[in-house]
Amino acid sequence: VKSLGEEAKVRVRSARRDAIEALKKAQKDGDITEDDLERDEKEVQKITDKKVAEIDQHIASKEKEITTV
């Protein structure tokens, strides 16, 4: 269960990296401002943190479920 959870967290972090790279490219291309970039990066990080916490909670729940059986 832990390894599956770690894989999920790696995928979430990879998606964060891809999103931030896309935002930086958009800012470089002039599609968004530097302020937009900073705000959007913070939003992406907030979503990432939330999803990682959900994964951790799910792992803990499943481990507890497995150990009680």
Side-chain angles (χ1 to χ4, degrees):
V1 174
K2 277 188 180 183
S3 65
L4 292 174
E6 287 302 318
E7 288 175 27
K9 288 193 277 187
V10 167
R11 287 193 294 271
V12 168
R13 291 181 184 125
S14 177
R16 175 192 58 196
R17 184 187 66 243
D18 293 345
I20 289 176
E21 285 176 5
L23 288 168
K24 286 181 180 179
K25 184 179 184 320
Q27 195 266 334
K28 183 179 176 186
D29 293 343
D31 295 333
I32 63 173
T33 66
E34 193 170 328
D35 290 340
D36 291 338
L37 172 65
E38 187 175 323
R39 184 190 66 240
D40 292 344
E41 282 181 338
K42 287 180 182 178
E43 184 66 23
V44 167
Q45 185 61 49
K46 188 167 76 171
I47 292 168
T48 301
D49 292 343
K50 180 181 175 189
K51 293 302 176 185
V52 167
E54 288 175 7
I55 291 167
D56 287 338
Q57 186 177 23
H58 192 66
I59 291 169
S61 171
K62 284 296 178 182
E63 285 178 338
K64 185 176 180 182
E65 183 181 317
I66 290 170
T67 57
T68 58
V69 173

